[in-house]
């Protein structure tokens, strides 16, 4: 099956050895009454590296011993057993014994030829032969077997190895392994015999191993693996058991290598048996305050439904967790099955008893090279000396996984302790990169090209601290933010963090249909936050934020004298309400708190559990801004089986001013920068700030430049001035289903999902709009825009004609549907979304495609 050959010289040496060791010269026929012959001398001939005394120590024959043919044979066997000699011969001359030896050569170097798929650094550490060692034939054969086994693990069962020996001077030798790797052995065909209820394709879909084909061209699941063969048998059994076939069994599973050694053909012989239904479902509870009859009515398995083994396992877990939540940490739930083959029913009695107490003897943390032990230990909900609780162990595993520092499939392992009532808990972690370098790019009709970059280390110096720096850049906005979070201040369960940031936003206007950035909104501030757990699942987070905001605008271009007071003011006709409403300096001093309820099994990739947050912020502890704001959000995740995860999320908020800004009804008391905005990424299918109240300035083309008469309104949204005004109320809901793919796609890190988003932002004071087309002129002296028709009694030329409309202030839900794909690509996490808005209000700005990409280190 595998080519294991030696060259002529090596083969001849092996043959010579075999002939000498196994078939020695026949002893001369013993003469009657022959005198006893004693060994007088023993002479060693041919030794080069070894001392003669050393060689003498290997043999049992000594001077003065009786010489026999059996003793001579034993000498040769002893010498060959050392594997130090290529050849050995013994001669006896009347008691003078001469042993002639030929030492095995010393290995000069090991050479691999023909290996492309497995490099030298993968093979050499696995073999035993090395430079400066003594060459032996058994080691060569063993290394050939090891190399072939390495290729088998790679799925290359046609690989062959031919060892060669190149003799050098001074009894040295080079060992050359000539490798023929061969193609990767695929699973050509999977045959299933004996299945009647399910088609072959349905059963193959349950298996991890897949048939080779064009659709599986880049999948590793088509490679033959004996371990996967055994796992697939369990998958078949599990599939039948979940569909009621309690008697199902796999009679045989055979993998045959094709004659060309390129592919495998796997054949399963199965016996389905009869299909069962649930019979009587009972609960026999020995726990106080647990009524078995009441529990039985609430269990998912129902009498008359098709038997489902997975449902039974889930029921056992559910009963165990329920008992644990009521303080019965050592509840033991055991299902007793009563199979009735006459009416094909499976009756089950779940017995709840309290098992003997077991205590935690020790908690070990292994595998962490960067992360400090205390970072892992402080997430344990159970300590050394505590009574063992499976509920607390599961909770500890989920908390450690939520850190994001270790492998996703982490579980706390349980090992026997030094006594029957003692147990050792082992956290065998496998660290993974915790740094994130993320880049996201997009295109907005408002801001054109958008680039966001962030670098974050979630396990800084192995202490569990989070340090981050983010930068956002677009044509009209720039921001930078630095953050730090210490989750356990002074090793106490108190978190502390802060953010320092600077945000610059340059807005735009139009002059002769050309964009120009004419004002700058800058915000410099910081936030301190601290959190403390109230219970295992509820935390309280307090925060203080201080912002210094400044909005500036070119006074010569966008300010006009008030016709009544004569004071120069920002003109809404020149600058737009978005600018005039935000202009000025202000200081915001905000104090807030959030109450967090979290039962998620994993904060990074949750599959079950809930999370709810209620936050309150009050501005007015000093500063120029006064308001009260409340926000709330909640989410829940449901595992649906077979890898499907369904999630729902809802959030909303309201803000109310605590002081009045103006008596004018067109000016809202809540400032523009404090309102809620909605769009990408909160609600997919819409652009940034693409949902909610706004003022659109639509420009005319082809109008009379002298009188301003006529013209047509532009329909190109990119040519509008879009002033998103935000709102004082908002809500957002989302439903999403994560769809599992085959093992090949999972190995590539692909996780698609379909979703529905719905939400709205509304309730803002209706701003002033003229209701009739407006004209802007170019001053004949300064060349700047003006609303005056003439300057110094000279007519100014008309350069803009536009309409302004107020749109979007509606609580009507905007609904979008879409599909997104998360991909853990070789260059980092990648997310792409395709979404379509199903319902929208006039003025909303839809968007179909978004994506972002990053990397980890």
């Amino acid at each position: 099956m595998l080519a294991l050959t030696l060259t002529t010289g090596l083969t001849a040496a092996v043959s010579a050895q075999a002939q000498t060791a196994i078939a020695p010269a026949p002893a001369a026929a013993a003469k009657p009454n022959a005198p006893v012959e004693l060994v007088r001398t023993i002479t060693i001939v041919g030794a080069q590296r070894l001392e003669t005394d050393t060689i003498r120590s290997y043999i049992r024959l000594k001077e003065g011993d009786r010489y026999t043919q059996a003793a001579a044979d034993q000498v040769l066997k002893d010498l060959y057993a050392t594997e130090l000699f290529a050849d050995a011969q013994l001669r006896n001359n009347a008691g003078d014994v001469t042993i002639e030896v030929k030492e095995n050569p010393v290995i000069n170097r090991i050479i691999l030829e023909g290996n492309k798929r497995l490099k030298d650094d993968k093979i050499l550490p696995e073999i035993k032969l090395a430079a400066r060692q003594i060459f032996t034939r058994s080691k060569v054969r063993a290394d050939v077997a090891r190399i072939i086994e390495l290729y088998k693990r790679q799925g290359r069962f046609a690989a062959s190895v031919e060892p060669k020996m190149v003799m050098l001077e001074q009894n040295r030798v080079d060992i050359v392994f000539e490798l023929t790797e061969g193609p990767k052995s695929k699973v050509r065909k999977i045959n299933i015999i004996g299945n009647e209820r399910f088609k072959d394709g349905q059963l193959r879909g349950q298996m991890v191993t897949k048939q080779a084909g064009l659709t599986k061209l880049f999948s590793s699941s088509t490679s033959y693996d004996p371990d996967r063969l055994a796992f697939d048998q369990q998958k078949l059994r599990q599939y039948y058991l979940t569909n009621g076939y309690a008697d199902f069994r796999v009679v045989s599973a055979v993998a045959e290598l094709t004659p060309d050694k390129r592919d495998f053909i796997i054949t399963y012989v199965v016996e389905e048996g009869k299909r069962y239904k649930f019979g009587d479902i009972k609960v026999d509870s020995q726990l106080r305050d647990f009524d078995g009859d009441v529990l039985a009515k609430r269990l998912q398995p129902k009498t008359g439904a098709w038997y489902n083994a997975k449902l039974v396992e889930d029921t056992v877990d559910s009963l165990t967790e329920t008992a644990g939540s009521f303080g019965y940490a050592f509840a033991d739930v055991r299902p007793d099955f009563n199979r009735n083959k006459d009416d094909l029913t499976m009756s089950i009695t779940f017995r709840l008893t309290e098992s003997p107490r077991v205590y935690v003897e020790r908690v070990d943390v292994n595998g962490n090279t960067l992360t400090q032990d205390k970072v892992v230990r402080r997430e344990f909900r159970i300590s050394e000396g505590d009574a063992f609780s499976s509920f607390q162990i599961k909770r500890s595993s989920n908390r450690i996984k939520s850190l994001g520092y270790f492998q996703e499939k982490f579980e706390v392992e349980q090992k026997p302790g030094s006594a029957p009532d003692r147990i050792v808990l082992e956290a065998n972690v496998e660290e993974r990169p915790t740094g994130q370098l993320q880049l996201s790019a997009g295109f907005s009709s408002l801001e054109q090209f958008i680039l966001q970059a962030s670098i974050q280390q979630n396990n800084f110096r192995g202490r569990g601290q989070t340090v981050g720096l983010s930068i956002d850049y677009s044509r009209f906005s720039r921001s930078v933010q630095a953050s730090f979070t210490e989750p356990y201040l002074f090793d106490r369960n108190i978190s502390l963090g802060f953010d320092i940031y600077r945000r610059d936003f340059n807005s735009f206007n139009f002059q002769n249909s050309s964009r120009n950035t004419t004002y700058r909104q800058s915000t410099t501030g910081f936030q301190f936050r601290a959190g403390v757990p109230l219970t295992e699942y509820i935390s309280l987070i307090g925060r203080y934020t201080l912002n210094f905001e400044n909005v500036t605008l070119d006074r010569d271009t966008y300010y006009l004298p008030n016709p009544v007071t004569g004071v120069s003011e920002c003109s809404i006709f020149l600058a737009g309400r978005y600018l005039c409403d935000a202009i000025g300096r202000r200081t915001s001093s905000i104090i807030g708190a959030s109450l967090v309820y979290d039962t998620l099994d994993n904060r990074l990739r949750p599959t079950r559990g809930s999370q709810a947050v209620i936050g309150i912020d009050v501005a007015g502890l000093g500063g120029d801004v006064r308001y009260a704001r409340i926000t709330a959000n909640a989410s829940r995740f449901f595992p649906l089986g077979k890898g499907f995860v369904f999630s729902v999320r809802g959030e909303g908020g309201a803000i109310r001013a605590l002081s009045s800004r103006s008596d004018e009804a067109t000016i809202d008391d809540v400032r523009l920068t404090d309102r809620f905005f909605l769009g990408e990424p909160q609600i997919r299918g819409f652009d940034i700030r693409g949902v909610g109240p706004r003022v659109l300035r639509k420009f005319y083309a082809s109008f009379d430049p002298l009188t301003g008469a006529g013209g047509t309104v532009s329909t190109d949204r990119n040519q509008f001035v879009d002033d998103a005004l935000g709102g004082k109320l908002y809500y957002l809901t989302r439903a999403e289903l994560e769809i599992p793919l085959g093992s090949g796609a999972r190995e590539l890190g692909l996780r698609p999902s379909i979703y529905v988003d719905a939400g709205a932002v509304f309730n803002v004071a209706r701003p002033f709009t003229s209701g009739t087309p407006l004209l802007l002129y170019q001053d004949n002296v300064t060349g700047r825009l003006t609303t005056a028709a003439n300057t110094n009694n000279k007519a100014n030329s008309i350069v803009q004609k536009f309409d302004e409309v107020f749109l979007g202030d509606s609580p009507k839900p905007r609904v979008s549907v879409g599909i997104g794909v998360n991909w853990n690509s070789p260059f980092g996490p990648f997310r792409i979304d395709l979404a379509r808005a199903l319902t929208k209000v006039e003025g909303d700005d839809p968007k179909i495609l978004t994506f972002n990409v990053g990397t980890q280190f």
Side-chain angles (χ1 to χ4, degrees):
M1 179 176 177
L2 298 171
L4 302 174
T5 61
L6 297 170
T7 57
T8 304
L10 188 55
T11 305
V14 174
S15 299
Q17 173 184 340
Q19 291 172 3
T20 305
I22 299 174
K31 297 180 180 180
N33 301 321
V36 175
E37 187 173 13
L38 301 179
V39 177
R40 295 188 299 175
T41 61
I42 298 177
T43 304
I44 308 297
V45 179
Q48 294 180 340
R49 297 185 307 275
L50 298 173
E51 297 291 337
T52 58
D53 289 341
T54 302
I55 299 176
R56 289 174 184 272
S57 67
Y58 295 146
I59 62 177
R60 306 180 193 180
L61 188 64
K62 307 297 181 184
E63 294 174 351
D65 290 349
R66 180 182 176 186
Y67 179 83
T68 63
Q69 188 60 47
D73 292 344
Q74 187 62 47
V75 168
L76 297 178
K77 290 179 182 179
D78 291 341
L79 291 176
Y80 283 123
T82 65
E83 295 190 338
L84 297 174
F85 306 101
D87 192 14
Q89 296 180 4
L90 182 146
R91 296 188 298 274
N92 176 32
N93 183 16
D96 294 326
V97 178
T98 301
I99 302 175
E100 184 176 352
V101 296
K102 181 180 180 182
E103 296 177 353
N104 273 330
V106 175
I107 297 175
N108 180 57
R109 57 177 177 165
I110 305 294
I111 302 173
L112 302 176
E113 293 182 353
N115 55 313
K116 297 179 180 178
R117 300 296 180 179
L118 284 178
K119 301 301 182 183
D120 290 7
D121 59 350
K122 300 294 183 182
I123 298 177
L124 292 177
E126 297 292 330
I127 62 179
K128 300 300 182 183
L129 289 176
R132 294 183 296 278
Q133 288 185 356
I134 303 298
F135 167 82
T136 65
R137 301 168 184 82
S138 59
K139 289 182 180 179
V140 171
R141 289 191 291 267
D143 284 347
V144 167
R146 289 189 185 94
I147 294 173
I148 290 175
E149 183 61 31
L150 288 176
Y151 277 100
K152 283 184 178 180
R153 295 176 192 171
Q154 298 290 322
R156 300 182 184 276
F157 285 80
S160 63
V161 181
E162 183 178 357
K164 293 185 178 181
M165 181 173 64
V166 180
M167 296 300 301
L168 305 174
E169 68 277 1
Q170 298 178 355
N171 200 23
R172 294 178 302 124
V173 66
D174 285 343
I175 304 299
V176 181
F177 291 103
E178 291 188 351
L179 286 75
T180 303
E181 296 179 318
K184 201 167 188 177
S185 301
K186 302 288 187 180
V187 176
R188 181 185 299 178
K189 182 71 175 176
I190 299 177
N191 298 317
I192 304 174
I193 300 174
N195 55 310
E196 297 178 358
R197 176 62 179 83
F198 300 104
K199 296 180 180 179
D200 289 3
Q202 289 178 274
L203 299 181
R204 292 191 194 106
Q206 303 301 316
M207 301 178 186
V208 176
T209 305
K210 304 298 181 183
Q211 293 182 158
L214 293 178
T215 58
K216 303 291 189 299
L217 192 60
F218 299 104
S219 174
S220 62
S221 61
T222 59
S223 300
Y224 171 71
D225 187 337
D227 294 333
R228 280 210 295 250
L229 184 67
F231 182 70
D232 285 339
Q233 295 180 58
Q234 295 299 322
K235 294 285 286 183
L236 281 176
R237 177 172 171 76
Q238 181 182 7
Y239 183 67
Y240 271 93
L241 289 178
T242 56
N243 285 279
Y245 293 88
D247 296 329
F248 172 83
R249 68 189 185 99
V250 178
V251 178
S252 66
V254 179
E256 297 177 293
L257 190 61
T258 56
D260 59 3
K261 298 182 180 180
R262 297 177 65 91
D263 297 314
F264 277 89
I265 297 176
I266 300 176
T267 302
Y268 293 94
V269 179
V270 302
E271 187 178 295
E272 292 181 326
K274 300 295 184 179
R275 193 178 189 188
Y276 287 75
K277 291 185 177 181
F278 281 114
D280 294 332
I281 306 297
K282 300 179 181 179
V283 176
D284 180 10
S285 174
Q286 298 180 15
L287 303 180
R288 188 180 60 183
D289 301 330
F290 275 72
D291 190 323
D293 294 335
V294 175
L295 285 175
K297 293 179 181 179
R298 298 180 178 178
L299 298 182
Q300 289 187 350
K302 301 298 181 182
T303 301
W306 290 114
Y307 172 73
N308 187 330
K310 181 65 168 58
L311 198 57
V312 175
E313 294 177 6
D314 292 343
T315 303
V316 171
D317 292 340
S318 177
L319 288 173
T320 303
E321 289 188 13
T322 301
S325 63
F326 280 90
Y328 294 94
F330 304 97
D332 183 25
V333 181
R334 296 184 180 181
D336 289 345
F337 298 89
N338 183 13
R339 183 179 316 187
N340 190 327
K341 294 187 177 182
D342 295 331
D343 59 5
L344 298 178
T345 59
M346 182 76 73
S347 299
I348 304 176
T349 300
F350 295 95
R351 304 192 185 278
L352 276 72
T353 61
E354 191 164 9
S355 60
R357 288 184 175 268
V358 178
Y359 298 88
V360 177
E361 178 179 347
R362 192 173 69 252
V363 176
D364 293 335
V365 179
N366 306 318
N368 52 316
T369 56
L370 172 66
T371 307
Q372 297 182 5
D373 274 16
K374 67 178 182 180
V375 174
V376 182
R377 291 181 180 276
R378 65 196 183 194
E379 301 301 327
F380 272 88
R381 303 295 95 182
I382 191 168
S383 303
E384 295 171 346
D386 289 351
F388 174 80
S389 169
S390 59
F391 180 76
Q392 297 294 351
I393 296 299
K394 184 176 181 180
R395 177 64 179 163
S396 300
S397 296
N398 289 339
R399 288 182 65 92
I400 294 173
K401 283 190 290 188
S402 295
L403 293 174
Y405 307 158
F406 312 112
Q407 73 272 24
E408 289 186 5
K409 296 182 179 180
F410 167 81
E411 295 292 342
V412 175
E413 298 182 14
Q414 304 166 22
K415 299 294 180 65
S418 59
D421 63 343
R422 295 291 185 267
I423 194 170
V424 175
L425 303 180
E426 286 189 358
N428 296 311
V429 299
E430 180 182 335
E431 292 181 327
R432 64 179 184 179
T434 55
Q436 293 182 346
L437 175 62
Q438 185 165 354
L439 298 174
S440 64
F443 184 85
S444 166
S445 60
L446 178 65
E447 298 192 68
Q448 300 297 310
F449 184 73
I450 302 169
L451 177 66
Q452 296 176 325
S454 65
I455 182 171
Q456 181 170 298
Q457 174 55 258
N458 297 322
N459 189 16
F460 185 61
R461 298 188 301 169
R463 298 187 176 187
Q465 300 166 339
T466 300
V467 179
L469 176 67
S470 64
I471 299 174
D472 295 349
Y473 176 86
S474 72
R475 186 176 181 183
F476 305 109
S477 64
R478 298 167 183 82
S479 68
V480 60
Q481 175 172 316
S483 61
F484 173 81
T485 302
E486 169 57 72
Y488 282 79
L489 184 63
F490 305 123
D491 292 330
R492 297 181 177 272
N493 201 0
I494 300 174
S495 64
L496 183 70
F498 64 85
D499 301 315
I500 302 175
Y501 45 84
R502 170 66 181 241
R503 305 184 183 109
D504 292 333
F505 182 81
N506 292 332
S507 191
F508 57 87
N509 207 305
F510 283 88
Q511 184 170 358
N512 298 326
S513 299
S514 298
R515 291 178 186 263
N516 60 89
T517 57
T518 55
Y519 90 104
R520 181 175 180 177
Q521 174 186 338
S522 63
T523 303
T524 303
F526 63 86
Q527 180 185 89
F528 283 102
R529 56 189 181 278
V532 59
L534 303 181
T535 68
E536 174 63 23
Y537 302 104
I538 301 177
S539 301
L540 180 64
I541 301 174
R543 56 185 170 272
Y544 174 74
T545 306
L546 183 63
N547 289 332
F548 302 94
E549 188 176 273
N550 184 27
V551 177
T552 58
L553 186 63
D554 185 354
R555 301 181 66 88
D556 292 335
T557 303
Y558 294 105
Y559 278 64
L560 290 176
N562 187 302
V564 178
T565 64
V567 178
S568 182
E569 297 177 350
C570 176
S571 171
I572 61 175
F573 302 116
L574 298 180
R577 288 156 188 81
Y578 186 85
L579 308 185
C580 291
D581 189 47
I583 198 168
R585 292 179 178 270
R586 63 187 62 92
T587 301
S588 300
S589 179
I590 309 166
I591 188 170
S594 294
L595 191 65
V596 181
Y597 172 76
D598 189 348
T599 63
L600 297 179
D601 61 342
N602 190 324
R603 296 189 186 97
L604 302 178
R605 276 194 61 187
T607 59
R608 67 170 68 239
S610 305
Q611 187 181 67
V613 181
I614 298 177
I616 299 176
D617 292 282
V618 177
L621 188 67
D624 309 316
V625 181
R626 289 171 174 79
Y627 65 78
R629 177 174 58 204
I630 183 170
T631 58
N633 69 75
S635 58
R636 186 160 187 182
F637 295 81
F638 305 87
L640 303 183
K642 298 182 179 180
F644 288 90
V645 178
F646 178 70
S647 62
V648 291
R649 176 185 174 90
E651 63 176 282
I655 186 171
R656 180 181 179 84
L658 300 180
S659 61
S660 176
R661 294 173 56 201
S662 173
D663 295 332
E664 295 185 28
T666 59
I667 298 179
D668 202 299
D669 289 334
V670 177
R671 296 180 184 274
L672 180 77
T673 52
D674 298 325
R675 299 173 198 160
F676 299 110
F677 291 88
L678 201 59
E680 182 197 335
Q682 301 99 326
I683 180 169
R684 292 159 290 193
F686 293 88
D687 207 341
I688 298 173
R689 297 187 173 187
V691 172
R694 65 194 59 248
V695 172
L696 294 181
R697 180 179 293 189
K698 303 179 180 181
F699 292 88
Y700 282 75
S702 302
F703 56 87
D704 188 332
L706 297 178
T707 64
T712 57
V713 179
S714 172
T715 58
D716 183 1
R717 179 115 189 185
N718 289 328
Q719 297 299 317
F720 295 174
V721 172
D722 188 341
D723 291 345
L725 304 181
K728 293 180 289 186
L729 298 172
Y730 92 99
Y731 66 88
L732 176 64
T733 60
R734 174 180 301 166
E736 189 162 3
L737 178 65
E738 184 175 317
I739 304 171
L741 297 179
S743 58
R746 286 198 301 269
E747 290 172 3
L748 293 175
L750 292 173
R751 293 187 293 113
S753 63
I754 56 176
Y755 52 81
V756 178
D757 293 348
V761 58
F762 54 97
N763 191 19
V764 68
R766 183 182 184 90
F768 170 79
T769 53
S770 64
T772 59
L774 297 174
L775 300 177
L776 289 181
Y777 301 84
Q778 187 173 25
D779 191 292
N780 59 49
V781 177
T782 64
R784 296 181 177 138
L785 291 176
T786 179
T787 56
N790 60 75
T791 303
N792 298 328
N793 295 321
K794 293 183 179 180
N796 294 323
S797 59
I798 302 173
V799 294
Q800 289 184 9
K801 178 181 180 181
F802 57 87
D803 279 337
E804 283 190 332
V805 290
F806 173 64
L807 302 168
D809 190 10
S810 169
K812 177 182 177 181
R814 281 69 155 181
V815 180
S816 65
V817 296
I819 181 170
V821 178
N822 280 313
W823 177 30
N824 290 330
S825 67
F827 47 85
F830 180 87
R831 171 81 187 190
I832 186 169
D833 284 288
L834 287 171
R836 180 178 179 84
L838 298 183
T839 63
K840 57 183 179 178
V841 173
E842 185 181 3
D844 291 343
D845 192 5
K847 181 181 180 181
I848 295 178
L849 176 67
T850 58
F851 70 93
N852 62 71
V853 63
T855 188
Q856 291 185 325
F857 62 94

